[in-house]
Amino acid sequence: MDCADAKPEGGTVRRRTVLIALGTAGIAAAVLLLGGVFSGSHTVDPIRAAIAAARPAAAKQDALTRLLAGLSTGDTAGYVRKLERHVARHPRDGDALTLLGLAYQQRARETGDPTYYNLSDRALRRAASAGGPPALVVQGRASLANTRHRFLDGLGLAREAISLAPDNGAAVGALGDALLNLGRYRAAFRAYDRMALLAPGIASYTRVANARELLGRPAGAAAADELALEADSTVPEHVAWTMVQLGNVFFNMGRLEDAARAYRKALTRLPGYVHAEAGLARVEASRGRYPIAIARLRHVVQVLPIPAYVIVLGDVLHAAGHERQARREYALVGAIERLFAANGVRTELQTAVFDLDHRRNVADALARARTAYASAPGIYAEDALGWGLFRTGRCEEARAHSAHALRLGTRDALLVFHRAMIERCLGTASAGSWFRRALAINPHFSFLWAPVARRALASDR
């Protein structure tokens, strides 16, 4: 399936979306013709964006060049301290304040500490009043809004950044990120294509990889991530992150050995990289090596206590039969989510899915899923709404939302499993085929739900 076959927003995606739609053979031609293509990641990387957008200005400003050079060390914490010291001595240095705002966002990603979002917000506002580069300041604010899951704000700010600098590829990427999460896929894919043309490199290629995965083309996504790794190796964390994304594509295809190899390469590139450790833990747990996986995950959540990894640890503990320890981890999720919310991050979607999965506050979770879908109607928010309706016994309504969530052809086993459960609720004969399809996509898709799918198929025999 390519972009021309998908029908988001009620219409066919035109073949103008050529880069994302290209097959593996087409990538090589595009690289020769265009100097590079392809990217895609759920996570906005503000530091990559800073490099892409600020490089022309940096060539003219020695101070900015020196500050950007700090990125290549892989020590973001040290880089932030350097910027903070510089700003303390020069509080009206708009360039330094801009980069400090972006660096705070990177620290939030690395540490899981959402208080850096407020620090970023304040630094970028100071940068604007101090005469920082307007397009880069607004782009940083767009990135921050997207990271906080405030995608309508991100959309407006990205458009403003583009109006200030039409050829700013990073701002175009932020536009695509906002559109993607708002469910405006045709426009998002066009934005990613434009970004790849304006700023071919690791940030744009990984975005295209994500788009391809959404379109049900994981092999093409892997090829795009591999191109991203060929494109840039300056900043170790960026390379390690891309290797993890490649590992995740393989994991989602059920290719555990390929996934493990990508995660190990990330650790070779950046020893101790927590996202790679989490990926290896999932592989170990999928192979039934629970003690190894649990030890890895305990280290992961100690270093990076974000809800996603705490939930995985709880689910692996549950799969290993350690119910009391699993409940202890689950209890932490709400507190962490409240901390994120206190720092401006919208958490309705994440909290709703977690509560629905674990049958907690189901009616309220459905209300949160509705809110999440109303504010950002992408396929994952719609799937969550369908899952909430299923959990409350409204399976006919749930089916419509689940079907629409699969409209792009996304090969996500969890989305397919949700459809299977809804069909079983309705008593349809197709339920078994949906369970088989989920397990065929990835037999290890969930430590909670893959066993349920296997039991459902066994009971039908």
Side-chain angles (χ1 to χ4, degrees):
M1 179 177 183
D2 66 16
C3 286
D5 300 316
K7 298 183 179 180
E9 299 185 295
T12 301
V13 176
R14 299 183 182 278
R15 290 192 180 273
R16 284 185 294 178
T17 318
V18 290
L19 302 186
I20 292 170
L22 283 174
T24 303
I27 298 176
V31 170
L32 291 173
L33 292 171
L34 305 173
V37 224
F38 298 133
S39 88
S41 168
H42 292 295
T43 303
V44 178
D45 187 332
I47 299 298
R48 287 182 203 152
I51 295 171
R55 186 173 285 136
K60 300 177 183 178
Q61 301 176 41
D62 290 340
L64 190 55
T65 302
R66 289 195 300 271
L67 293 170
L68 284 172
L71 293 172
S72 63
T73 67
D75 178 12
T76 307
Y79 181 51
V80 165
R81 287 193 297 271
K82 179 179 178 180
L83 287 167
E84 288 174 333
R85 288 194 298 269
H86 182 90
V87 166
R89 292 192 302 269
H90 307 284
R92 298 295 298 171
D93 187 334
D95 288 337
L97 283 163
T98 302
L99 292 177
L100 180 59
L102 295 167
Y104 280 140
Q105 292 179 43
Q106 178 76 4
R107 284 299 286 155
R109 189 177 88 170
E110 292 176 357
T111 65
D113 183 353
T115 60
Y116 282 110
Y117 297 141
N118 284 339
L119 290 171
S120 174
D121 190 28
R122 288 199 291 270
L124 290 171
R125 290 181 187 280
R126 286 179 60 194
S129 66
L136 187 55
V137 170
V138 177
Q139 174 198 309
R141 293 180 60 207
S143 169
L144 181 60
N146 287 340
T147 301
R148 284 170 153 172
H149 302 166
R150 298 182 178 276
F151 300 111
L152 279 175
D153 292 340
L155 179 64
L157 287 164
R159 285 173 170 163
E160 182 182 348
I162 292 168
S163 72
L164 292 168
D167 292 334
N168 183 338
V172 175
L175 175 68
D177 296 336
L179 290 166
L180 193 83
N181 285 281
L182 290 168
R184 304 179 191 178
Y185 293 103
R186 176 170 50 188
F189 296 158
R190 285 200 301 268
Y192 289 159
D193 279 349
R194 178 159 173 75
M195 182 188 185
L197 292 169
L198 290 171
I202 202 165
S204 56
Y205 298 176
T206 49
R207 279 178 169 85
V208 174
N210 181 57
R212 288 174 161 202
E213 200 168 14
L214 286 173
L215 289 169
R217 301 187 55 245
D225 280 329
E226 287 165 348
L227 272 178
L229 291 170
E230 296 173 10
D232 186 7
S233 60
T234 304
V235 181
E237 195 276 337
H238 300 172
V239 177
W241 173 255
T242 304
M243 288 174 174
V244 168
Q245 300 315 298
L246 178 60
N248 292 344
V249 171
F250 288 137
F251 184 90
N252 293 338
M253 297 168 70
R255 293 167 56 178
L256 295 185
E257 188 51 49
D258 289 331
R261 187 177 301 111
Y263 298 140
R264 291 192 199 100
K265 284 183 179 179
L267 288 170
T268 299
R269 177 64 171 169
L270 192 62
Y273 191 51
V274 67
H275 299 293
E277 293 282 0
L280 280 175
R282 286 200 304 165
V283 171
E284 296 290 3
S286 298
R287 290 170 167 164
R289 301 170 184 170
Y290 295 125
I292 297 172
I294 290 167
R296 280 191 188 275
L297 285 167
R298 288 199 187 282
H299 170 72
V300 165
V301 300
Q302 185 176 22
V303 175
L304 189 66
I306 60 174
Y309 293 154
V310 176
I311 292 169
V312 171
L313 174 56
D315 289 349
V316 173
L317 287 165
H318 166 78
H322 304 307
E323 292 298 335
R324 179 179 295 180
Q325 294 178 51
R327 287 195 298 271
R328 191 179 305 133
E329 298 302 326
Y330 293 150
L332 294 174
V333 174
I336 298 171
E337 293 282 9
R338 286 191 292 274
L339 178 61
F340 274 77
N343 285 278
V345 181
R346 297 198 68 156
T347 63
E348 296 96 342
L349 179 58
Q350 292 71 28
T351 61
V353 171
F354 173 70
D355 283 345
L356 291 168
D357 278 348
H358 298 87
R359 291 189 179 276
R360 297 154 42 117
N361 311 311
V362 172
D364 183 63
L366 173 57
R368 276 176 276 139
R370 287 191 188 280
T371 299
Y373 180 64
S375 64
I379 62 170
Y380 287 98
E382 184 151 25
D383 175 71
L385 177 54
W387 188 233
L389 290 165
F390 161 78
R391 284 301 218 189
T392 54
R394 297 157 69 175
C395 296
E396 200 67 58
E397 291 178 73
R399 175 199 265 167
H401 287 290
S402 178
H404 199 236
L406 289 165
R407 67 189 181 276
L408 298 180
T410 309
R411 288 178 58 81
D412 186 316
L414 186 59
L415 269 61
V416 174
F417 169 79
H418 287 167
R419 179 66 181 276
M421 294 291 282
I422 292 165
E423 294 297 336
R424 187 171 70 167
C425 172
L426 293 169
T428 64
S430 65
S433 66
W434 285 102
F435 283 123
R436 279 189 291 274
R437 181 179 169 191
L439 292 168
I441 292 171
N442 180 9
H444 316 287
F445 70 91
S446 167
F447 302 113
L448 284 182
W449 301 122
V452 173
R454 286 191 287 269
R455 287 196 297 270
L457 287 175
S459 68
D460 289 341
R461 291 172 185 161

